[in-house]
Amino acid sequence: MSNQSTKNFQRRIEDFECLHCGQHVEGNGYTNHCPHCLWSRHVDINPGDRLADCDGMMAAVRIHKKGERYRILHRCEICGHEAWNQSAKKDNFDRLLALAKSMGKV
Ligand SMILES: [Zn+2]
Ligand SMILES: [Zn+2]
């Protein structure tokens, strides 16, 4: 076994550290936002493509309920890019509701 590559060959599915709240987030291949604070990161131009090089933090600014599912609108703090994301099962539901409420009756 002397031939092992020293390259770090980590192919876990997008685990990341939330840069907003500092929590470790286990990716499941679908979610790209933090289930604790709901913030995301501007890494996609289109969902999942990882082509954006902005890398700004994206705040959850709106919630939209469609059927049983919630969708979250993320807005990049740096460039203002907005993107809708499906909320994940693990998402902090209190925060989802708080965000929905903070939107008021708009
Ligand atoms: Zn977070
Ligand atoms: Zn951006």
PDB file of all heavy atoms in Angstrom, residues 69-82:
ATOM      1  N   ARG A  69     -44.971  21.904   0.348  1.00  0.00           N
ATOM      2  CA  ARG A  69     -43.564  22.256   0.347  1.00  0.00           C
ATOM      3  C   ARG A  69     -43.351  23.756   0.449  1.00  0.00           C
ATOM      4  O   ARG A  69     -44.137  24.542  -0.058  1.00  0.00           O
ATOM      5  CB  ARG A  69     -42.889  21.741  -0.923  1.00  0.00           C
ATOM      6  CG  ARG A  69     -43.126  20.276  -1.134  1.00  0.00           C
ATOM      7  CD  ARG A  69     -41.901  19.615  -1.668  1.00  0.00           C
ATOM      8  NE  ARG A  69     -40.760  19.764  -0.755  1.00  0.00           N
ATOM      9  CZ  ARG A  69     -39.710  18.976  -0.797  1.00  0.00           C
ATOM     10  NH1 ARG A  69     -39.640  18.034  -1.691  1.00  0.00           N
ATOM     11  NH2 ARG A  69     -38.716  19.146   0.035  1.00  0.00           N
ATOM     12  N   TYR A  70     -42.247  24.070   1.097  1.00  0.00           N
ATOM     13  CA  TYR A  70     -41.857  25.466   1.166  1.00  0.00           C
ATOM     14  C   TYR A  70     -40.719  25.714   0.198  1.00  0.00           C
ATOM     15  O   TYR A  70     -39.874  24.850  -0.012  1.00  0.00           O
ATOM     16  CB  TYR A  70     -41.383  25.824   2.575  1.00  0.00           C
ATOM     17  CG  TYR A  70     -42.506  25.959   3.558  1.00  0.00           C
ATOM     18  CD1 TYR A  70     -42.952  24.864   4.274  1.00  0.00           C
ATOM     19  CD2 TYR A  70     -43.117  27.192   3.761  1.00  0.00           C
ATOM     20  CE1 TYR A  70     -43.992  24.985   5.176  1.00  0.00           C
ATOM     21  CE2 TYR A  70     -44.162  27.317   4.666  1.00  0.00           C
ATOM     22  CZ  TYR A  70     -44.590  26.215   5.374  1.00  0.00           C
ATOM     23  OH  TYR A  70     -45.611  26.333   6.257  1.00  0.00           O
ATOM     24  N   ARG A  71     -40.742  26.891  -0.343  1.00  0.00           N
ATOM     25  CA  ARG A  71     -39.604  27.297  -1.141  1.00  0.00           C
ATOM     26  C   ARG A  71     -39.029  28.565  -0.530  1.00  0.00           C
ATOM     27  O   ARG A  71     -39.737  29.385   0.016  1.00  0.00           O
ATOM     28  CB  ARG A  71     -39.998  27.533  -2.600  1.00  0.00           C
ATOM     29  CG  ARG A  71     -40.477  26.251  -3.275  1.00  0.00           C
ATOM     30  CD  ARG A  71     -40.344  26.320  -4.774  1.00  0.00           C
ATOM     31  NE  ARG A  71     -40.966  27.533  -5.291  1.00  0.00           N
ATOM     32  CZ  ARG A  71     -40.592  28.121  -6.420  1.00  0.00           C
ATOM     33  NH1 ARG A  71     -39.613  27.612  -7.117  1.00  0.00           N
ATOM     34  NH2 ARG A  71     -41.195  29.203  -6.832  1.00  0.00           N
ATOM     35  N   ILE A  72     -37.734  28.681  -0.636  1.00  0.00           N
ATOM     36  CA  ILE A  72     -37.036  29.796  -0.009  1.00  0.00           C
ATOM     37  C   ILE A  72     -36.366  30.629  -1.084  1.00  0.00           C
ATOM     38  O   ILE A  72     -35.680  30.080  -1.947  1.00  0.00           O
ATOM     39  CB  ILE A  72     -35.952  29.277   0.962  1.00  0.00           C
ATOM     40  CG1 ILE A  72     -36.572  28.329   1.983  1.00  0.00           C
ATOM     41  CG2 ILE A  72     -35.254  30.444   1.644  1.00  0.00           C
ATOM     42  CD1 ILE A  72     -35.525  27.571   2.796  1.00  0.00           C
ATOM     43  N   LEU A  73     -36.580  31.929  -1.016  1.00  0.00           N
ATOM     44  CA  LEU A  73     -35.874  32.804  -1.951  1.00  0.00           C
ATOM     45  C   LEU A  73     -34.606  33.318  -1.289  1.00  0.00           C
ATOM     46  O   LEU A  73     -34.649  33.928  -0.220  1.00  0.00           O
ATOM     47  CB  LEU A  73     -36.750  33.980  -2.371  1.00  0.00           C
ATOM     48  CG  LEU A  73     -36.098  34.945  -3.370  1.00  0.00           C
ATOM     49  CD1 LEU A  73     -35.861  34.258  -4.718  1.00  0.00           C
ATOM     50  CD2 LEU A  73     -36.940  36.192  -3.566  1.00  0.00           C
ATOM     51  N   HIS A  74     -33.496  33.022  -1.915  1.00  0.00           N
ATOM     52  CA  HIS A  74     -32.211  33.482  -1.412  1.00  0.00           C
ATOM     53  C   HIS A  74     -31.724  34.659  -2.239  1.00  0.00           C
ATOM     54  O   HIS A  74     -31.841  34.647  -3.464  1.00  0.00           O
ATOM     55  CB  HIS A  74     -31.173  32.354  -1.477  1.00  0.00           C
ATOM     56  CG  HIS A  74     -31.392  31.294  -0.444  1.00  0.00           C
ATOM     57  ND1 HIS A  74     -31.750  29.998  -0.762  1.00  0.00           N
ATOM     58  CD2 HIS A  74     -31.322  31.349   0.907  1.00  0.00           C
ATOM     59  CE1 HIS A  74     -31.868  29.305   0.364  1.00  0.00           C
ATOM     60  NE2 HIS A  74     -31.617  30.080   1.383  1.00  0.00           N
ATOM     61  N   ARG A  75     -31.187  35.640  -1.543  1.00  0.00           N
ATOM     62  CA  ARG A  75     -30.625  36.790  -2.258  1.00  0.00           C
ATOM     63  C   ARG A  75     -29.180  36.994  -1.847  1.00  0.00           C
ATOM     64  O   ARG A  75     -28.862  37.086  -0.660  1.00  0.00           O
ATOM     65  CB  ARG A  75     -31.431  38.049  -1.957  1.00  0.00           C
ATOM     66  CG  ARG A  75     -30.906  39.264  -2.746  1.00  0.00           C
ATOM     67  CD  ARG A  75     -31.620  40.532  -2.362  1.00  0.00           C
ATOM     68  NE  ARG A  75     -33.025  40.478  -2.734  1.00  0.00           N
ATOM     69  CZ  ARG A  75     -33.996  41.032  -1.999  1.00  0.00           C
ATOM     70  NH1 ARG A  75     -33.721  41.651  -0.889  1.00  0.00           N
ATOM     71  NH2 ARG A  75     -35.242  40.941  -2.387  1.00  0.00           N
ATOM     72  N   CYS A  76     -28.332  37.098  -2.854  1.00  0.00           N
ATOM     73  CA  CYS A  76     -26.911  37.244  -2.597  1.00  0.00           C
ATOM     74  C   CYS A  76     -26.607  38.636  -2.052  1.00  0.00           C
ATOM     75  O   CYS A  76     -27.050  39.645  -2.595  1.00  0.00           O
ATOM     76  CB  CYS A  76     -26.122  36.998  -3.883  1.00  0.00           C
ATOM     77  SG  CYS A  76     -24.354  37.223  -3.654  1.00  0.00           S
ATOM     78  N   GLU A  77     -25.847  38.656  -0.992  1.00  0.00           N
ATOM     79  CA  GLU A  77     -25.507  39.937  -0.367  1.00  0.00           C
ATOM     80  C   GLU A  77     -24.507  40.735  -1.189  1.00  0.00           C
ATOM     81  O   GLU A  77     -24.375  41.934  -1.019  1.00  0.00           O
ATOM     82  CB  GLU A  77     -24.879  39.673   1.008  1.00  0.00           C
ATOM     83  CG  GLU A  77     -25.856  39.106   2.001  1.00  0.00           C
ATOM     84  CD  GLU A  77     -25.500  39.566   3.401  1.00  0.00           C
ATOM     85  OE1 GLU A  77     -24.386  39.242   3.832  1.00  0.00           O
ATOM     86  OE2 GLU A  77     -26.322  40.242   4.023  1.00  0.00           O
ATOM     87  N   ILE A  78     -23.779  40.056  -2.034  1.00  0.00           N
ATOM     88  CA  ILE A  78     -22.758  40.753  -2.801  1.00  0.00           C
ATOM     89  C   ILE A  78     -23.297  41.277  -4.127  1.00  0.00           C
ATOM     90  O   ILE A  78     -23.185  42.452  -4.439  1.00  0.00           O
ATOM     91  CB  ILE A  78     -21.542  39.830  -3.048  1.00  0.00           C
ATOM     92  CG1 ILE A  78     -20.847  39.554  -1.710  1.00  0.00           C
ATOM     93  CG2 ILE A  78     -20.572  40.468  -4.038  1.00  0.00           C
ATOM     94  CD1 ILE A  78     -19.663  38.619  -1.813  1.00  0.00           C
ATOM     95  N   CYS A  79     -23.928  40.399  -4.905  1.00  0.00           N
ATOM     96  CA  CYS A  79     -24.319  40.824  -6.249  1.00  0.00           C
ATOM     97  C   CYS A  79     -25.833  40.947  -6.411  1.00  0.00           C
ATOM     98  O   CYS A  79     -26.311  41.407  -7.439  1.00  0.00           O
ATOM     99  CB  CYS A  79     -23.756  39.858  -7.293  1.00  0.00           C
ATOM    100  SG  CYS A  79     -24.551  38.244  -7.254  1.00  0.00           S
ATOM    101  N   GLY A  80     -26.582  40.534  -5.409  1.00  0.00           N
ATOM    102  CA  GLY A  80     -28.027  40.689  -5.488  1.00  0.00           C
ATOM    103  C   GLY A  80     -28.746  39.605  -6.276  1.00  0.00           C
ATOM    104  O   GLY A  80     -29.958  39.657  -6.460  1.00  0.00           O
ATOM    105  N   HIS A  81     -28.002  38.612  -6.714  1.00  0.00           N
ATOM    106  CA  HIS A  81     -28.609  37.485  -7.431  1.00  0.00           C
ATOM    107  C   HIS A  81     -29.649  36.800  -6.544  1.00  0.00           C
ATOM    108  O   HIS A  81     -29.424  36.574  -5.362  1.00  0.00           O
ATOM    109  CB  HIS A  81     -27.512  36.484  -7.820  1.00  0.00           C
ATOM    110  CG  HIS A  81     -28.032  35.219  -8.436  1.00  0.00           C
ATOM    111  ND1 HIS A  81     -28.400  35.139  -9.759  1.00  0.00           N
ATOM    112  CD2 HIS A  81     -28.252  33.991  -7.898  1.00  0.00           C
ATOM    113  CE1 HIS A  81     -28.832  33.899 -10.008  1.00  0.00           C
ATOM    114  NE2 HIS A  81     -28.742  33.190  -8.906  1.00  0.00           N
ATOM    115  N   GLU A  82     -30.797  36.486  -7.132  1.00  0.00           N
ATOM    116  CA  GLU A  82     -31.837  35.803  -6.368  1.00  0.00           C
ATOM    117  C   GLU A  82     -32.111  34.429  -6.949  1.00  0.00           C
ATOM    118  O   GLU A  82     -32.088  34.248  -8.161  1.00  0.00           O
ATOM    119  CB  GLU A  82     -33.127  36.625  -6.385  1.00  0.00           C
ATOM    120  CG  GLU A  82     -33.002  37.923  -5.613  1.00  0.00           C
ATOM    121  CD  GLU A  82     -34.334  38.660  -5.545  1.00  0.00           C
ATOM    122  OE1 GLU A  82     -35.217  38.361  -6.360  1.00  0.00           O
ATOM    123  OE2 GLU A  82     -34.459  39.525  -4.674  1.00  0.00           O
TER     124      GLU A  82
END
